[in-house]
Amino acid sequence: MPTVPSFAVISGAQVLDALHGQEKHVIDLVEAAYRTHAAGHTVNPPSYFLRFPDRPSSRIIALPASIGDDVRVDGMKWISSFPGNVENGLPRASAVLILNDHDTGYPFACLESSVISATRTAASAALAADVLSRDRGRPKRVGFIGVGLIARYLHTYLNALGWSFEETGVFDLSAEHAAGFVAGVDGDARVHESAESLIRDSDLVVFATVAGKPHVHDPAWFAHNPLVLHVSLRDLSPEIILDSVNIVDDVEHCLKADTSPHLAEQATGNRDFLDGTLNDVLTGALTVPADRPVVFSPFGLGVLDLAVGKYVYDTVTATGDLTEIPDFFAELKRYERAR
């Protein structure tokens, strides 16, 4: 018979401790979650965007999801993106993740989730880079456009997979942030004066910006056929998308909310420009050609947050450091005896 679970709060410090040094394992978790999703053992409805007329650049997004197989957990990530925070010395994004019990539906944990979100995003992109480059050869020159938390985590996850680069390029609208990123990179690294310079000089291009609409428009910049991790989703014009091999994590999720692939769909009236999903590449159903730019556009699925979040919960529980909230569920009687 189901019992009411306890309720726990897991801090960002505990999340960091649980994930430290576990990059390869997290990548395996993310790959397994993608395969579970492709097999139909998940529920991943559309994300809900809470927008504000008085703060048009800001938003809060709800990502409800459910994942089966070995994870067996439901829940939701609630993540805000307030770009103005950066000017005040705060990270752009903040988030919490709620985990719900599979059998009772009761929430049993609330986790700080900006780190979980950055981790699953980096793990997803690193997995894609590894899989998509297998038939093309690993890139030797990497370029980051936008150098916030996501870029830093992705660099770490690529290193965890054994990637090394002859040169690391950086372009950011903030010279201070660009210089700070370069200072934390081993090996040859330099700041570029323009996005064009960085793209033309990179075999692997990472977009990790807060762009709300395309700012890169010329397909000629990609004539050398780089691999592009289009993590921020809205940087590339439809012309570039249509000139590339396009891989997404989930078709229905990615082609909405004015992402670059969504704009390409609106421009053409069809989805013929999509070549497949990351799972298609993982299973061998799709072989990626080497004679065109390859763009991976991951919308980011809530099931990935659940998979990583459940791992963090289990890890913290195993250490004995789980902080439970006594009497969080206080009203548990269906009927009250008359007095």
Side-chain angles (χ1 to χ4, degrees):
M1 182 175 179
T3 59
V4 177
S6 61
F7 187 81
V9 175
I10 297 178
S11 70
Q14 290 176 300
V15 173
L16 283 169
D17 286 344
L19 294 175
H20 179 70
Q22 298 299 314
E23 290 85 3
K24 288 185 178 179
H25 184 63
V26 171
I27 290 171
D28 290 342
L29 289 174
V30 166
E31 178 177 348
Y34 275 133
R35 292 183 184 273
T36 299
H37 181 64
H41 300 159
T42 66
V43 181
N44 207 111
S47 303
Y48 182 82
F49 287 70
L50 177 62
R51 300 186 184 276
F52 314 98
D54 60 328
R55 294 157 286 167
S57 67
S58 301
R59 62 184 186 270
I60 306 178
I61 311 172
L63 286 79
S66 174
I67 183 169
D69 289 352
D70 294 337
V71 184
R72 293 182 82 248
V73 70
D74 313 322
M76 184 179 76
K77 179 172 72 173
W78 181 240
I79 182 166
S80 66
S81 175
F82 279 54
N85 285 348
V86 176
E87 298 177 5
N88 298 316
L90 288 174
R92 171 186 61 86
S94 58
V96 294
L97 176 67
I98 299 295
L99 300 181
N100 292 74
D101 181 70
H102 177 277
D103 296 324
T104 66
Y106 271 76
F108 62 86
C110 176
L111 298 81
E112 195 287 329
S113 198
S114 64
V115 173
I116 290 173
S117 187
T119 296
R120 65 84 151 149
T121 300
S124 166
L127 171 67
D130 206 47
V131 173
L132 295 173
S133 64
R134 286 175 183 170
D135 296 326
R136 298 163 56 94
R138 279 191 172 181
K140 296 297 184 182
R141 302 170 300 167
V142 63
F144 291 88
I145 299 180
V147 291
L149 188 68
I150 299 297
R152 174 161 62 87
Y153 271 63
L154 180 49
H155 187 271
T156 298
Y157 270 74
L158 288 171
N159 285 338
L161 288 176
W163 285 53
S164 60
F165 301 101
E166 295 174 356
E167 181 179 301
T168 299
V170 171
F171 174 73
D172 193 280
L173 296 179
S174 166
E176 177 186 357
H177 296 158
F181 187 88
V182 166
V185 173
D186 293 330
D188 186 12
R190 68 186 181 96
V191 177
H192 286 255
E193 295 299 319
S194 68
E196 177 182 2
S197 170
L198 180 139
I199 292 167
R200 290 185 181 273
D201 283 355
S202 302
D203 308 310
L204 172 64
V205 181
V206 179
F207 285 93
T209 73
V210 295
K213 60 183 180 180
H215 56 97
V216 177
H217 299 273
D218 192 346
W221 296 4
F222 301 83
H224 57 301
N225 301 326
L227 172 59
V228 180
L229 302 178
H230 189 206
V231 177
S232 39
L233 287 173
R234 296 172 178 84
D235 303 88
L236 303 177
S237 69
E239 291 78 12
I240 293 170
I241 294 294
L242 297 175
D243 201 47
S244 304
V245 176
N246 287 282
I247 310 297
V248 298
D249 57 351
D250 181 278
V251 174
E252 295 302 327
H253 282 78
C254 197
L255 270 69
K256 61 180 57 175
D258 290 333
T259 65
S260 294
H262 187 204
L263 296 180
E265 179 189 34
Q266 293 173 356
T268 61
N270 61 64
R271 299 178 173 184
D272 296 345
F273 59 90
L274 286 182
D275 294 85
T277 66
L278 181 59
N279 189 70
D280 293 332
V281 184
L282 286 169
T283 60
L286 174 65
T287 300
V288 179
D291 59 351
R292 296 167 63 195
V294 175
V295 177
F296 176 57
S297 299
F299 192 82
L301 303 177
V303 293
L304 305 183
D305 297 282
L306 293 184
V308 176
K310 182 58 163 52
Y311 168 75
V312 170
Y313 175 84
D314 290 341
T315 300
V316 175
T317 300
T319 65
D321 293 329
L322 192 67
T323 302
E324 297 183 337
I325 309 300
D327 300 322
F328 187 83
F329 301 107
E331 183 57 89
L332 300 173
K333 296 179 181 178
R334 184 174 179 84
Y335 303 105
E336 181 69 36
R337 184 181 298 275
R339 297 179 179 177

